Amino acid sequence: IIYSDPVRVSSGNVISGSITNANPSGSSSGVGLAMYIRVFDKDKQFIADIYGVNLDTTHDDWQVNTFSNAKIPTNGAYVSMAFLWNAGVGYFSQPMLQFGQNYTGYVPNIVATSTVLSLFKDNWSIGIRDNTGALTSGIAEDLNGMTLISKKITLDGDTTVIGDFYAKGGNFKNINASNITVGNLDADKVRIINLDVNTLTGDVSRFLETNWDGAYGSTKITSAGMKINTQYIQADFKDFGMDFSYVNKKIGGIGISQYTDGTPGLAMRLDGDGGYMSWSARNKGDTTGSYASKLGWFRQENPALGGNYGFIFEDRVTFNKPINVEGAAINLGFRPVNLYGNNFPFFGSYNDLTGFAYTSNEIYMILQNGMLNLSNVIKALSGLGNVSIPTRMNGDGTVAEWRNITL
């Protein structure tokens, strides 16, 4: 058996080709000659014959034997012509392989020393061996350069580029490079890890602003602050706090305020378009219901339900400190007072027990350490009718002036 040089192929390729044979007068008789197209895997181990024919050796003139549409099987990596004979001397010539379903005819080889290289517009013949220079010049027609022109080129193996590498419109997957120099890099989907921002140049703030605004259209970053827009509400971060608008009406905000002496503090601000301020809460465990007002301040022009305005408490209120009355000499206070072994609410002077205490059904006047049950006094006086009470006395003890009241 003799084999032609192996030709690299891929699974699914289709092979066609031809061989010419003869048995001239005077040659040996009874020669049995056969030709096979054999496929080998990537390790050049035999897989299968995809074509085989016994050549007619009974004629004197040269006969052309052709085949078409021989498909490379799975795992096929190389293909070669194999020639077998049983005795005598057989004559054959012009072996040719071409890629394609249909045989298109023999084209003479180009012979260079021991390497046979045939180039056509869409196929190669067998025979490339140990002659890289001839292959290069044969493809490029230039000893100084090489050009591969195809809609698809596959490099199956490690590829090393010694000189500069240019790839216009390149698409690289899992590239590993320690030093890349680029001109204009279109990095639409580049994922960069551990980027040193100290090496960024240009208008970095404008880059961040533009890309943030593009990706998050409801948020705008400017030199004056940041704006966040929802369907109805706009939040505007400014120099001294955050302002809120609702459907293009300025409602108010929360931020930093300065008192008359210049000391900064936190301020709740109600703008001219806002009607009220409210501290509200949901009931415990409720995460979807409405917020109920607990403490609110309402304008006189926009009163709460019932026509009330100003500060409105809608929950329990505890006073732990005195209540200041503008211009008064003492403070008012709420505190407990013990009456007959039980504590009851007292309202009056904060520092001294002077005021009123309230039980469940009685009212007491407290004067320091003494107390008077006003409920009993009122009950005793009730029903007396018309009563005259002296309001001014003479020096001799007589009444100078009386006041008539009805009880």
Side-chain angles (χ1 to χ4, degrees):
I1 302 176
I2 60 173
Y3 292 94
S4 67
D5 287 343
V7 176
R8 187 63 184 260
V9 293
S10 298
S11 175
N13 285 155
V14 178
I15 301 295
S16 301
S18 66
I19 185 70
T20 302
N21 76 292
N23 189 24
S25 299
S27 62
S28 300
S29 60
V31 175
L33 181 63
M35 184 271 289
Y36 294 90
I37 305 301
R38 296 200 161 178
V39 181
F40 303 85
D41 63 15
K42 62 182 180 61
D43 299 320
K44 296 186 178 180
Q45 299 298 315
F46 173 72
I47 296 178
D49 291 327
I50 59 174
Y51 178 76
V53 62
N54 292 320
L55 301 177
D56 184 1
T57 59
T58 62
H59 47 79
D60 296 337
D61 55 340
W62 294 92
Q63 300 292 326
V64 177
N65 301 272
T66 66
F67 68 93
S68 299
N69 201 27
K71 189 174 182 179
I72 304 299
T74 302
N75 299 330
Y78 296 94
V79 66
S80 180
M81 279 187 170
F83 302 96
L84 294 84
W85 72 99
N86 61 354
V89 178
Y91 295 84
F92 63 89
S93 67
Q94 299 179 342
M96 187 184 76
L97 292 177
Q98 60 181 190
F99 289 96
Q101 293 182 352
N102 300 312
Y103 174 72
T104 60
Y106 175 75
V107 178
N109 293 335
I110 299 174
V111 180
T113 64
S114 61
T115 299
V116 179
L117 176 63
S118 296
L119 300 179
F120 312 107
K121 66 177 182 179
D122 59 355
N123 59 74
W124 295 63
S125 71
I126 62 173
I128 303 172
R129 181 179 62 189
D130 301 329
N131 200 331
T132 304
L135 175 61
T136 302
S137 61
I139 295 175
E141 296 183 350
D142 184 358
L143 295 177
N144 298 319
M146 177 178 177
T147 302
L148 297 178
I149 301 175
S150 176
K151 292 182 179 180
K152 184 176 180 181
I153 298 174
T154 300
L155 302 178
D156 186 5
D158 295 338
T159 303
T160 301
V161 179
I162 304 300
D164 293 338
F165 179 71
Y166 300 96
K168 183 179 180 181
N171 183 7
F172 302 95
K173 183 178 181 181
N174 299 327
I175 186 171
N176 182 6
S178 60
N179 184 12
I180 297 178
T181 302
V182 299
N184 294 325
L185 175 62
D186 184 0
D188 182 54
K189 295 183 179 181
V190 174
R191 180 172 178 262
I192 302 176
I193 302 176
N194 299 327
L195 175 65
D196 184 2
V197 298
N198 294 320
T199 62
L200 295 178
T201 60
D203 192 346
V204 179
S205 61
R206 178 60 181 166
F207 167 78
L208 295 176
E209 175 188 347
T210 302
N211 286 275
W212 176 276
D213 292 345
Y216 306 97
S218 62
T219 303
K220 301 293 183 183
I221 302 174
T222 67
S223 58
M226 181 172 66
K227 294 182 179 180
I228 301 175
N229 296 286
T230 64
Q231 184 177 2
Y232 301 106
I233 299 175
Q234 180 186 78
D236 191 357
F237 291 85
K238 295 183 177 180
D239 291 340
F240 294 100
M242 179 171 59
D243 292 338
F244 294 98
S245 298
Y246 178 75
V247 193
N248 297 323
K249 291 185 177 181
K250 298 181 68 176
I251 304 302
I254 182 171
I256 302 300
S257 179
Q258 291 185 338
Y259 200 53
T260 55
D261 63 351
T263 303
L266 185 64
M268 298 282 293
R269 303 189 294 261
L270 185 65
D271 216 318
D273 290 334
Y276 68 95
M277 295 185 294
S278 175
W279 284 261
S280 57
R282 286 173 173 159
N283 294 330
K284 183 175 178 58
D286 183 4
T287 59
T288 58
S290 60
Y291 289 90
S293 176
K294 303 301 179 182
L295 170 62
W297 183 89
F298 293 82
R299 295 185 190 275
Q300 186 174 357
E301 300 84 359
N302 299 100
L305 295 178
N308 297 312
Y309 57 89
F311 281 101
I312 300 177
F313 293 88
E314 300 189 48
D315 206 339
R316 175 178 175 177
V317 180
T318 301
F319 294 93
N320 290 323
K321 295 294 181 180
I323 301 173
N324 179 60
V325 179
E326 188 72 22
I330 61 175
N331 294 324
L332 291 176
F334 291 91
R335 65 174 65 181
V337 63
N338 189 279
L339 298 176
Y340 309 114
N342 294 306
N343 287 331
F344 294 98
F346 165 83
F347 173 72
S349 172
Y350 182 79
N351 295 322
D352 298 316
L353 281 177
T354 301
F356 298 91
Y358 305 88
T359 66
S360 59
N361 53 13
E362 293 180 323
I363 303 173
Y364 289 83
M365 176 179 286
I366 307 296
L367 180 61
Q368 295 182 354
N369 294 326
M371 63 181 180
L372 174 65
N373 190 328
L374 292 181
S375 299
N376 291 337
V377 173
I378 295 173
K379 290 177 183 178
L381 294 175
S382 64
L384 292 180
N386 296 324
V387 178
S388 296
I389 299 176
T391 59
R392 186 167 59 87
M393 302 294 291
N394 295 321
D396 58 0
T398 60
V399 177
E401 186 176 340
W402 296 85
R403 175 173 292 179
N404 297 322
I405 62 174
T406 301
L407 300 174

PDB file of all heavy atoms in Angstrom, residues 223-250:
ATOM      1  N   SER A 223     -23.440  70.614  39.114  1.00  0.00           N
ATOM      2  CA  SER A 223     -22.517  71.249  40.050  1.00  0.00           C
ATOM      3  C   SER A 223     -23.249  71.842  41.246  1.00  0.00           C
ATOM      4  O   SER A 223     -22.646  72.071  42.306  1.00  0.00           O
ATOM      5  CB  SER A 223     -21.728  72.349  39.333  1.00  0.00           C
ATOM      6  OG  SER A 223     -22.621  73.316  38.785  1.00  0.00           O
ATOM      7  N   ALA A 224     -24.566  72.112  41.108  1.00  0.00           N
ATOM      8  CA  ALA A 224     -25.330  72.691  42.205  1.00  0.00           C
ATOM      9  C   ALA A 224     -25.930  71.645  43.126  1.00  0.00           C
ATOM     10  O   ALA A 224     -26.399  71.969  44.215  1.00  0.00           O
ATOM     11  CB  ALA A 224     -26.453  73.566  41.639  1.00  0.00           C
ATOM     12  N   GLY A 225     -25.923  70.368  42.738  1.00  0.00           N
ATOM     13  CA  GLY A 225     -26.514  69.327  43.570  1.00  0.00           C
ATOM     14  C   GLY A 225     -27.010  68.173  42.735  1.00  0.00           C
ATOM     15  O   GLY A 225     -26.478  67.878  41.662  1.00  0.00           O
ATOM     16  N   MET A 226     -28.081  67.542  43.206  1.00  0.00           N
ATOM     17  CA  MET A 226     -28.628  66.374  42.520  1.00  0.00           C
ATOM     18  C   MET A 226     -30.144  66.434  42.570  1.00  0.00           C
ATOM     19  O   MET A 226     -30.726  66.818  43.596  1.00  0.00           O
ATOM     20  CB  MET A 226     -28.126  65.080  43.167  1.00  0.00           C
ATOM     21  CG  MET A 226     -28.642  63.806  42.495  1.00  0.00           C
ATOM     22  SD  MET A 226     -27.865  62.294  43.130  1.00  0.00           S
ATOM     23  CE  MET A 226     -28.488  62.284  44.799  1.00  0.00           C
ATOM     24  N   LYS A 227     -30.794  66.061  41.468  1.00  0.00           N
ATOM     25  CA  LYS A 227     -32.239  66.029  41.384  1.00  0.00           C
ATOM     26  C   LYS A 227     -32.703  64.608  41.092  1.00  0.00           C
ATOM     27  O   LYS A 227     -32.133  63.931  40.253  1.00  0.00           O
ATOM     28  CB  LYS A 227     -32.753  66.963  40.291  1.00  0.00           C
ATOM     29  CG  LYS A 227     -32.505  68.444  40.568  1.00  0.00           C
ATOM     30  CD  LYS A 227     -33.087  69.299  39.453  1.00  0.00           C
ATOM     31  CE  LYS A 227     -32.855  70.778  39.729  1.00  0.00           C
ATOM     32  NZ  LYS A 227     -33.417  71.635  38.651  1.00  0.00           N
ATOM     33  N   ILE A 228     -33.753  64.179  41.799  1.00  0.00           N
ATOM     34  CA  ILE A 228     -34.350  62.862  41.583  1.00  0.00           C
ATOM     35  C   ILE A 228     -35.816  63.071  41.250  1.00  0.00           C
ATOM     36  O   ILE A 228     -36.548  63.698  42.016  1.00  0.00           O
ATOM     37  CB  ILE A 228     -34.195  61.961  42.823  1.00  0.00           C
ATOM     38  CG1 ILE A 228     -32.717  61.766  43.170  1.00  0.00           C
ATOM     39  CG2 ILE A 228     -34.861  60.617  42.596  1.00  0.00           C
ATOM     40  CD1 ILE A 228     -32.496  60.986  44.438  1.00  0.00           C
ATOM     41  N   ASN A 229     -36.256  62.552  40.103  1.00  0.00           N
ATOM     42  CA  ASN A 229     -37.624  62.731  39.632  1.00  0.00           C
ATOM     43  C   ASN A 229     -38.352  61.400  39.614  1.00  0.00           C
ATOM     44  O   ASN A 229     -37.827  60.400  39.128  1.00  0.00           O
ATOM     45  CB  ASN A 229     -37.638  63.328  38.223  1.00  0.00           C
ATOM     46  CG  ASN A 229     -37.048  64.717  38.171  1.00  0.00           C
ATOM     47  OD1 ASN A 229     -37.656  65.684  38.608  1.00  0.00           O
ATOM     48  ND2 ASN A 229     -35.838  64.823  37.657  1.00  0.00           N
ATOM     49  N   THR A 230     -39.556  61.393  40.180  1.00  0.00           N
ATOM     50  CA  THR A 230     -40.466  60.261  40.030  1.00  0.00           C
ATOM     51  C   THR A 230     -41.664  60.734  39.217  1.00  0.00           C
ATOM     52  O   THR A 230     -41.648  61.825  38.643  1.00  0.00           O
ATOM     53  CB  THR A 230     -40.909  59.725  41.396  1.00  0.00           C
ATOM     54  OG1 THR A 230     -41.667  60.733  42.075  1.00  0.00           O
ATOM     55  CG2 THR A 230     -39.698  59.359  42.245  1.00  0.00           C
ATOM     56  N   GLN A 231     -42.710  59.933  39.174  1.00  0.00           N
ATOM     57  CA  GLN A 231     -43.865  60.299  38.355  1.00  0.00           C
ATOM     58  C   GLN A 231     -44.504  61.594  38.838  1.00  0.00           C
ATOM     59  O   GLN A 231     -44.970  62.410  38.036  1.00  0.00           O
ATOM     60  CB  GLN A 231     -44.888  59.167  38.365  1.00  0.00           C
ATOM     61  CG  GLN A 231     -46.091  59.426  37.451  1.00  0.00           C
ATOM     62  CD  GLN A 231     -47.048  58.257  37.436  1.00  0.00           C
ATOM     63  OE1 GLN A 231     -46.839  57.263  38.129  1.00  0.00           O
ATOM     64  NE2 GLN A 231     -48.113  58.364  36.661  1.00  0.00           N
ATOM     65  N   TYR A 232     -44.537  61.794  40.163  1.00  0.00           N
ATOM     66  CA  TYR A 232     -45.211  62.969  40.711  1.00  0.00           C
ATOM     67  C   TYR A 232     -44.283  63.876  41.522  1.00  0.00           C
ATOM     68  O   TYR A 232     -44.542  65.071  41.638  1.00  0.00           O
ATOM     69  CB  TYR A 232     -46.375  62.550  41.619  1.00  0.00           C
ATOM     70  CG  TYR A 232     -47.415  61.708  40.920  1.00  0.00           C
ATOM     71  CD1 TYR A 232     -47.507  60.340  41.165  1.00  0.00           C
ATOM     72  CD2 TYR A 232     -48.316  62.280  40.021  1.00  0.00           C
ATOM     73  CE1 TYR A 232     -48.467  59.562  40.528  1.00  0.00           C
ATOM     74  CE2 TYR A 232     -49.269  61.513  39.384  1.00  0.00           C
ATOM     75  CZ  TYR A 232     -49.346  60.157  39.634  1.00  0.00           C
ATOM     76  OH  TYR A 232     -50.291  59.390  38.994  1.00  0.00           O
ATOM     77  N   ILE A 233     -43.231  63.334  42.116  1.00  0.00           N
ATOM     78  CA  ILE A 233     -42.432  64.068  43.094  1.00  0.00           C
ATOM     79  C   ILE A 233     -41.041  64.331  42.545  1.00  0.00           C
ATOM     80  O   ILE A 233     -40.445  63.484  41.870  1.00  0.00           O
ATOM     81  CB  ILE A 233     -42.340  63.274  44.421  1.00  0.00           C
ATOM     82  CG1 ILE A 233     -43.746  63.084  45.011  1.00  0.00           C
ATOM     83  CG2 ILE A 233     -41.448  63.996  45.421  1.00  0.00           C
ATOM     84  CD1 ILE A 233     -43.775  62.216  46.246  1.00  0.00           C
ATOM     85  N   GLN A 234     -40.513  65.517  42.865  1.00  0.00           N
ATOM     86  CA  GLN A 234     -39.130  65.852  42.554  1.00  0.00           C
ATOM     87  C   GLN A 234     -38.419  66.215  43.852  1.00  0.00           C
ATOM     88  O   GLN A 234     -38.908  67.045  44.625  1.00  0.00           O
ATOM     89  CB  GLN A 234     -39.052  67.035  41.588  1.00  0.00           C
ATOM     90  CG  GLN A 234     -37.610  67.431  41.237  1.00  0.00           C
ATOM     91  CD  GLN A 234     -37.549  68.686  40.395  1.00  0.00           C
ATOM     92  OE1 GLN A 234     -37.693  69.789  40.895  1.00  0.00           O
ATOM     93  NE2 GLN A 234     -37.340  68.499  39.104  1.00  0.00           N
ATOM     94  N   ALA A 235     -37.277  65.555  44.098  1.00  0.00           N
ATOM     95  CA  ALA A 235     -36.428  65.873  45.240  1.00  0.00           C
ATOM     96  C   ALA A 235     -35.178  66.566  44.725  1.00  0.00           C
ATOM     97  O   ALA A 235     -34.498  66.052  43.843  1.00  0.00           O
ATOM     98  CB  ALA A 235     -36.059  64.601  46.009  1.00  0.00           C
ATOM     99  N   ASP A 236     -34.896  67.739  45.301  1.00  0.00           N
ATOM    100  CA  ASP A 236     -33.800  68.572  44.811  1.00  0.00           C
ATOM    101  C   ASP A 236     -32.828  68.829  45.957  1.00  0.00           C
ATOM    102  O   ASP A 236     -33.155  69.511  46.928  1.00  0.00           O
ATOM    103  CB  ASP A 236     -34.361  69.888  44.277  1.00  0.00           C
ATOM    104  CG  ASP A 236     -33.325  70.690  43.499  1.00  0.00           C
ATOM    105  OD1 ASP A 236     -32.172  70.235  43.431  1.00  0.00           O
ATOM    106  OD2 ASP A 236     -33.668  71.753  42.965  1.00  0.00           O
ATOM    107  N   PHE A 237     -31.621  68.227  45.846  1.00  0.00           N
ATOM    108  CA  PHE A 237     -30.580  68.448  46.844  1.00  0.00           C
ATOM    109  C   PHE A 237     -29.831  69.741  46.511  1.00  0.00           C
ATOM    110  O   PHE A 237     -29.214  69.843  45.447  1.00  0.00           O
ATOM    111  CB  PHE A 237     -29.604  67.272  46.869  1.00  0.00           C
ATOM    112  CG  PHE A 237     -30.203  65.997  47.400  1.00  0.00           C
ATOM    113  CD1 PHE A 237     -30.901  65.151  46.553  1.00  0.00           C
ATOM    114  CD2 PHE A 237     -30.075  65.656  48.732  1.00  0.00           C
ATOM    115  CE1 PHE A 237     -31.457  63.981  47.026  1.00  0.00           C
ATOM    116  CE2 PHE A 237     -30.630  64.483  49.218  1.00  0.00           C
ATOM    117  CZ  PHE A 237     -31.316  63.648  48.368  1.00  0.00           C
ATOM    118  N   LYS A 238     -29.877  70.706  47.439  1.00  0.00           N
ATOM    119  CA  LYS A 238     -29.208  71.976  47.230  1.00  0.00           C
ATOM    120  C   LYS A 238     -28.170  72.210  48.326  1.00  0.00           C
ATOM    121  O   LYS A 238     -27.860  71.319  49.105  1.00  0.00           O
ATOM    122  CB  LYS A 238     -30.237  73.112  47.195  1.00  0.00           C
ATOM    123  CG  LYS A 238     -31.196  73.029  46.001  1.00  0.00           C
ATOM    124  CD  LYS A 238     -32.136  74.211  45.962  1.00  0.00           C
ATOM    125  CE  LYS A 238     -33.030  74.170  44.731  1.00  0.00           C
ATOM    126  NZ  LYS A 238     -33.953  75.322  44.677  1.00  0.00           N
ATOM    127  N   ASP A 239     -27.688  73.476  48.389  1.00  0.00           N
ATOM    128  CA  ASP A 239     -26.602  73.775  49.327  1.00  0.00           C
ATOM    129  C   ASP A 239     -26.988  73.538  50.774  1.00  0.00           C
ATOM    130  O   ASP A 239     -26.165  73.093  51.582  1.00  0.00           O
ATOM    131  CB  ASP A 239     -26.163  75.234  49.147  1.00  0.00           C
ATOM    132  CG  ASP A 239     -25.470  75.457  47.809  1.00  0.00           C
ATOM    133  OD1 ASP A 239     -24.999  74.465  47.221  1.00  0.00           O
ATOM    134  OD2 ASP A 239     -25.410  76.617  47.362  1.00  0.00           O
ATOM    135  N   PHE A 240     -28.247  73.841  51.160  1.00  0.00           N
ATOM    136  CA  PHE A 240     -28.623  73.803  52.569  1.00  0.00           C
ATOM    137  C   PHE A 240     -29.702  72.778  52.871  1.00  0.00           C
ATOM    138  O   PHE A 240     -30.368  72.870  53.892  1.00  0.00           O
ATOM    139  CB  PHE A 240     -29.092  75.195  53.028  1.00  0.00           C
ATOM    140  CG  PHE A 240     -28.002  76.218  53.011  1.00  0.00           C
ATOM    141  CD1 PHE A 240     -27.894  77.106  51.956  1.00  0.00           C
ATOM    142  CD2 PHE A 240     -27.074  76.278  54.033  1.00  0.00           C
ATOM    143  CE1 PHE A 240     -26.880  78.045  51.921  1.00  0.00           C
ATOM    144  CE2 PHE A 240     -26.057  77.212  54.009  1.00  0.00           C
ATOM    145  CZ  PHE A 240     -25.955  78.101  52.964  1.00  0.00           C
ATOM    146  N   GLY A 241     -29.879  71.788  52.008  1.00  0.00           N
ATOM    147  CA  GLY A 241     -30.840  70.748  52.316  1.00  0.00           C
ATOM    148  C   GLY A 241     -31.503  70.191  51.083  1.00  0.00           C
ATOM    149  O   GLY A 241     -31.018  70.333  49.962  1.00  0.00           O
ATOM    150  N   MET A 242     -32.651  69.565  51.291  1.00  0.00           N
ATOM    151  CA  MET A 242     -33.388  68.908  50.222  1.00  0.00           C
ATOM    152  C   MET A 242     -34.797  69.490  50.160  1.00  0.00           C
ATOM    153  O   MET A 242     -35.497  69.555  51.182  1.00  0.00           O
ATOM    154  CB  MET A 242     -33.448  67.396  50.467  1.00  0.00           C
ATOM    155  CG  MET A 242     -34.221  66.618  49.414  1.00  0.00           C
ATOM    156  SD  MET A 242     -34.062  64.827  49.602  1.00  0.00           S
ATOM    157  CE  MET A 242     -34.696  64.592  51.261  1.00  0.00           C
ATOM    158  N   ASP A 243     -35.190  69.926  48.974  1.00  0.00           N
ATOM    159  CA  ASP A 243     -36.518  70.482  48.757  1.00  0.00           C
ATOM    160  C   ASP A 243     -37.371  69.499  47.972  1.00  0.00           C
ATOM    161  O   ASP A 243     -36.874  68.757  47.123  1.00  0.00           O
ATOM    162  CB  ASP A 243     -36.433  71.805  47.985  1.00  0.00           C
ATOM    163  CG  ASP A 243     -35.782  72.905  48.815  1.00  0.00           C
ATOM    164  OD1 ASP A 243     -35.805  72.772  50.058  1.00  0.00           O
ATOM    165  OD2 ASP A 243     -35.258  73.865  48.228  1.00  0.00           O
ATOM    166  N   PHE A 244     -38.686  69.526  48.244  1.00  0.00           N
ATOM    167  CA  PHE A 244     -39.625  68.627  47.583  1.00  0.00           C
ATOM    168  C   PHE A 244     -40.658  69.442  46.804  1.00  0.00           C
ATOM    169  O   PHE A 244     -41.133  70.489  47.269  1.00  0.00           O
ATOM    170  CB  PHE A 244     -40.358  67.752  48.600  1.00  0.00           C
ATOM    171  CG  PHE A 244     -39.469  66.784  49.314  1.00  0.00           C
ATOM    172  CD1 PHE A 244     -38.972  67.086  50.574  1.00  0.00           C
ATOM    173  CD2 PHE A 244     -39.117  65.575  48.740  1.00  0.00           C
ATOM    174  CE1 PHE A 244     -38.157  66.200  51.241  1.00  0.00           C
ATOM    175  CE2 PHE A 244     -38.305  64.684  49.396  1.00  0.00           C
ATOM    176  CZ  PHE A 244     -37.814  64.994  50.653  1.00  0.00           C
ATOM    177  N   SER A 245     -41.004  68.936  45.627  1.00  0.00           N
ATOM    178  CA  SER A 245     -42.079  69.506  44.826  1.00  0.00           C
ATOM    179  C   SER A 245     -43.046  68.396  44.457  1.00  0.00           C
ATOM    180  O   SER A 245     -42.644  67.232  44.279  1.00  0.00           O
ATOM    181  CB  SER A 245     -41.541  70.166  43.556  1.00  0.00           C
ATOM    182  OG  SER A 245     -40.685  71.246  43.863  1.00  0.00           O
ATOM    183  N   TYR A 246     -44.325  68.763  44.362  1.00  0.00           N
ATOM    184  CA  TYR A 246     -45.351  67.784  44.002  1.00  0.00           C
ATOM    185  C   TYR A 246     -46.161  68.346  42.844  1.00  0.00           C
ATOM    186  O   TYR A 246     -46.806  69.408  42.978  1.00  0.00           O
ATOM    187  CB  TYR A 246     -46.258  67.489  45.199  1.00  0.00           C
ATOM    188  CG  TYR A 246     -47.378  66.521  44.900  1.00  0.00           C
ATOM    189  CD1 TYR A 246     -47.111  65.165  44.760  1.00  0.00           C
ATOM    190  CD2 TYR A 246     -48.692  66.961  44.762  1.00  0.00           C
ATOM    191  CE1 TYR A 246     -48.131  64.262  44.489  1.00  0.00           C
ATOM    192  CE2 TYR A 246     -49.719  66.072  44.488  1.00  0.00           C
ATOM    193  CZ  TYR A 246     -49.426  64.719  44.344  1.00  0.00           C
ATOM    194  OH  TYR A 246     -50.434  63.829  44.067  1.00  0.00           O
ATOM    195  N   VAL A 247     -46.110  67.646  41.702  1.00  0.00           N
ATOM    196  CA  VAL A 247     -46.799  68.072  40.477  1.00  0.00           C
ATOM    197  C   VAL A 247     -46.452  69.538  40.207  1.00  0.00           C
ATOM    198  O   VAL A 247     -47.323  70.400  40.069  1.00  0.00           O
ATOM    199  CB  VAL A 247     -48.322  67.867  40.576  1.00  0.00           C
ATOM    200  CG1 VAL A 247     -48.959  68.016  39.194  1.00  0.00           C
ATOM    201  CG2 VAL A 247     -48.657  66.513  41.145  1.00  0.00           C
ATOM    202  N   ASN A 248     -45.140  69.818  40.215  1.00  0.00           N
ATOM    203  CA  ASN A 248     -44.599  71.142  39.880  1.00  0.00           C
ATOM    204  C   ASN A 248     -44.965  72.229  40.882  1.00  0.00           C
ATOM    205  O   ASN A 248     -44.833  73.415  40.588  1.00  0.00           O
ATOM    206  CB  ASN A 248     -45.036  71.580  38.475  1.00  0.00           C
ATOM    207  CG  ASN A 248     -44.506  70.647  37.395  1.00  0.00           C
ATOM    208  OD1 ASN A 248     -43.379  70.157  37.493  1.00  0.00           O
ATOM    209  ND2 ASN A 248     -45.308  70.400  36.376  1.00  0.00           N
ATOM    210  N   LYS A 249     -45.436  71.865  42.072  1.00  0.00           N
ATOM    211  CA  LYS A 249     -45.683  72.833  43.139  1.00  0.00           C
ATOM    212  C   LYS A 249     -44.641  72.638  44.237  1.00  0.00           C
ATOM    213  O   LYS A 249     -44.399  71.519  44.671  1.00  0.00           O
ATOM    214  CB  LYS A 249     -47.086  72.655  43.727  1.00  0.00           C
ATOM    215  CG  LYS A 249     -48.201  73.054  42.784  1.00  0.00           C
ATOM    216  CD  LYS A 249     -49.547  72.958  43.481  1.00  0.00           C
ATOM    217  CE  LYS A 249     -50.682  73.421  42.566  1.00  0.00           C
ATOM    218  NZ  LYS A 249     -52.001  73.354  43.244  1.00  0.00           N
ATOM    219  N   LYS A 250     -44.052  73.765  44.691  1.00  0.00           N
ATOM    220  CA  LYS A 250     -43.025  73.699  45.724  1.00  0.00           C
ATOM    221  C   LYS A 250     -43.701  73.522  47.082  1.00  0.00           C
ATOM    222  O   LYS A 250     -44.426  74.398  47.553  1.00  0.00           O
ATOM    223  CB  LYS A 250     -42.176  74.960  45.699  1.00  0.00           C
ATOM    224  CG  LYS A 250     -41.425  75.150  44.380  1.00  0.00           C
ATOM    225  CD  LYS A 250     -40.574  76.409  44.401  1.00  0.00           C
ATOM    226  CE  LYS A 250     -39.425  76.266  45.387  1.00  0.00           C
ATOM    227  NZ  LYS A 250     -38.525  77.444  45.352  1.00  0.00           N
TER     228      LYS A 250
END
